[in-house]
Amino acid sequence: MAMYESDHTKFMREWLAQHPEQAAEQQKGRALWWDKPQDVRAQGALEQAKVPVKPYYYDSNH
């Protein structure tokens, strides 16, 4: 059984095969927006600083 592949996915595969220089540009864009170094200590401090949310936010009696 063949796996479904959308027209957009097919287009992007063909386009990237025809324009290999865009792979490096794609990685630069990804690094700019998504690939950030993670600080485990800072994440732990943020987790500990969280304040629990009330079950019903507008109820002032709880």
Side-chain angles (χ1 to χ4, degrees), residues 2-19:
M3 297 293 292
Y4 172 76
E5 188 173 57
S6 71
D7 291 338
H8 178 74
T9 302
K10 290 177 188 175
F11 168 77
M12 289 305 297
R13 285 188 199 282
E14 292 172 7
W15 192 82
L16 286 172
Q18 294 171 358
H19 300 89

Side-chain angles (χ1 to χ4, degrees):
M1 183 168 104
M3 297 293 292
Y4 172 76
E5 188 173 57
S6 71
D7 291 338
H8 178 74
T9 302
K10 290 177 188 175
F11 168 77
M12 289 305 297
R13 285 188 199 282
E14 292 172 7
W15 192 82
L16 286 172
Q18 294 171 358
H19 300 89
E21 71 280 358
Q22 289 299 316
E25 191 69 23
Q26 184 181 27
Q27 286 181 350
K28 280 177 30 183
R30 178 188 167 112
L32 178 66
W33 291 104
W34 299 106
D35 296 339
K36 302 289 182 190
Q38 302 296 315
D39 185 0
V40 177
R41 278 186 266 164
Q43 287 178 346
L46 288 173
E47 281 295 320
Q48 290 177 350
K50 282 187 178 178
V51 177
V53 178
K54 296 177 184 178
Y56 183 65
Y57 186 78
Y58 297 105
D59 186 4
S60 62
N61 296 323
H62 290 119

